Amino acid sequence: MNRTHWAALLSLTSLACTKETPAPVAAAPAPVVEAPRPPAPKAFDMTRLAAFKALPADMASEQNPSTDDKVALGRMLYFDTRLSKNHDISCNSCHALDKGGVDGEQFSKGHKGQLGGRNSPSVFNAALHVAQFWDGRAGTVEDQAKGPVLNPGEMAMPDAKQVEKVLSSMPQYVEAFAKAFPGEKQSLSFDNAAKAIAAFERKLVTPGRWDKFLAGDQEALTQAEKDGFDTFMASGCVACHAGVGVGGGMYQKLGLVQPWPNQKDQGRFEVTKNEADKMMFKVPSLRNVAKTAPYFHDGSAKTLPEAIKLMAKHQVGRELPEKDVASIATFLEALNGEAPAALVAAPELPPSTAKTPKPDPT
């Protein structure tokens, strides 16, 4: 083989060695199949909220105008046990601001451990109610504030003069009354003490997610809570529980359809002596109801589901299935709100002096 043939052979060999191998063809990716998406929830029909109203910033009264000094005085008086005969009970004892405005007991303990005859209702938002007490015997929180102080079974002070004697024995209270009621010849009085307590209570509003929802924020409630509202409406609860307090705006017969088991307390009849008022009670507000067990004037329902079942049975004549009871309870949880933290905290009270009457356990 000559030199020319060798060169040609080497050239062919070189080409064979340097020729690229074709890249393997990648397999086509499998098509992506998306899981079916659940249908978007329908927008809530806000016109269905026409029977309700959001809370105001406070519960002001033209007859008892609010001032910072009056509210500060009322807050001290609300927490002061020296407004009771034995210096051991305050307004906050039965209407504890850190417990939803109640004490969590079926019946509250008064002077010498006496038990009251009715469950203590919440003080939160109470100034918006049609009247005060279960039987409506006080028209305003100003009137209501006087009752327990002089009630022998509650705070048991013998009379208004004794209240004034206690308060006037402490210079800081004398000064506080003068600031709260300027220009009055006798600023420190039992009537003004009640007005100050009421001015404080009128600040105890508890806005929450429900109020945001009423204002148009559809995300303020969960879907389960909205479903609970539907169940609440369909079950007939709204007939009595409506308005700004989701209740508290009217009287209703307890046992409207089926008689209430406990007929001992005849409610508003005890005040009016009108036969039509037998078993009539003020409809309670459902705001913060999840925090205020036990329920009803007699404290007979220990849990919220039990209360819902009893209302359905005795007021609308229905035996609700458990799922509906749970649904309504879910909605009622959304009615919780918070009072201003600065008002709920216990204040520093004026110190007693040598002139301050001593506790009287008799």
Side-chain angles (χ1 to χ4, degrees), residues 28-360:
V32 177
V33 179
E34 293 186 3
R37 296 180 180 179
K42 289 184 178 180
F44 188 88
D45 181 4
M46 300 299 283
T47 63
R48 301 178 61 207
L49 301 175
F52 306 94
K53 187 178 179 181
L55 282 172
D58 62 23
M59 302 171 282
S61 165
E62 292 183 2
Q63 291 71 37
N64 184 25
S66 177
T67 65
D68 290 344
D69 288 327
K70 190 184 292 185
V71 171
L73 171 60
R75 180 173 164 231
M76 289 192 292
L77 295 171
Y78 188 90
F79 281 90
D80 202 328
T81 58
R82 290 168 296 188
L83 292 186
S84 66
K85 186 178 182 182
N86 197 35
H87 296 192
D88 56 354
I89 300 171
S90 70
C91 302
N92 193 65
S93 298
C94 301
H95 306 281
L97 300 187
D98 61 349
K99 296 180 180 179
V102 300
D103 61 4
E105 302 293 335
Q106 181 176 14
F107 302 117
S108 300
K109 288 183 179 180
H111 184 60
K112 296 194 292 188
Q114 299 174 80
L115 292 180
R118 289 175 179 159
N119 179 256
S120 295
S122 176
V123 70
F124 289 149
N125 311 303
L128 294 171
H129 295 185
V130 64
Q132 304 302 310
F133 297 112
W134 284 100
D135 55 19
R137 64 183 182 275
T140 65
V141 286
E142 285 78 10
D143 294 333
Q144 186 277 334
K146 298 178 183 180
V149 177
L150 303 183
N151 188 318
E154 295 184 55
M155 298 168 78
M157 283 298 236
D159 51 40
K161 290 296 181 183
Q162 182 66 12
V163 176
E164 294 167 358
K165 183 178 180 180
V166 169
L167 295 174
S168 62
S169 73
M170 293 170 267
Q172 286 181 237
Y173 266 134
V174 174
E175 181 181 352
F177 272 91
K179 288 182 178 179
F181 300 94
E184 294 192 15
K185 184 177 180 180
Q186 183 62 41
S187 59
L188 195 158
S189 68
F190 180 59
D191 284 349
N192 281 350
K195 288 179 181 178
I197 293 172
F200 168 67
E201 291 178 347
R202 287 182 178 277
K203 294 289 185 180
L204 298 177
V205 292
T206 61
R209 293 186 296 117
W210 172 242
D211 297 282
K212 292 180 180 180
F213 189 67
L214 292 174
D217 181 1
Q218 296 210 6
E219 300 303 314
L221 298 192
T222 66
Q223 188 58 50
E225 289 164 346
K226 294 174 188 176
D227 293 343
F229 172 80
D230 290 339
T231 311
F232 177 87
M233 297 290 283
S235 300
C237 310
V238 69
C240 297
H241 294 284
V244 64
V246 197
M250 62 182 288
Y251 298 101
Q252 182 57 278
K253 181 177 181 179
L254 186 61
L256 184 64
V257 176
Q258 293 191 31
W260 192 250
N262 178 9
Q263 297 280 325
K264 181 179 179 180
D265 187 342
Q266 289 289 305
R268 190 153 171 74
F269 171 76
E270 307 294 341
V271 177
T272 67
K273 304 305 178 183
N274 184 341
E275 287 290 321
D277 284 333
K278 284 188 173 181
M279 291 306 294
M280 294 289 285
F281 292 88
K282 184 183 71 174
V283 174
S285 167
L286 295 183
R287 285 185 177 271
N288 303 299
V289 68
K291 300 179 179 181
T292 59
Y295 302 104
F296 308 128
H297 72 286
D298 56 5
S300 58
K302 307 304 180 186
T303 68
L304 189 56
E306 182 184 357
I308 293 169
K309 292 177 184 178
L310 286 170
M311 281 290 94
K313 177 180 179 180
H314 293 280
Q315 300 307 109
V316 296
R318 297 183 61 182
E319 296 285 346
L320 290 180
E322 291 296 331
K323 65 178 182 62
D324 286 356
V325 172
S327 182
I328 293 174
T330 297
F331 165 63
L332 296 182
E333 290 275 358
L335 300 181
N336 289 340
E338 298 294 333
L343 297 181
V344 170
E348 183 177 350
L349 301 178
S352 296
T353 68
K355 294 182 180 180
T356 304
K358 303 302 182 195
D360 182 358

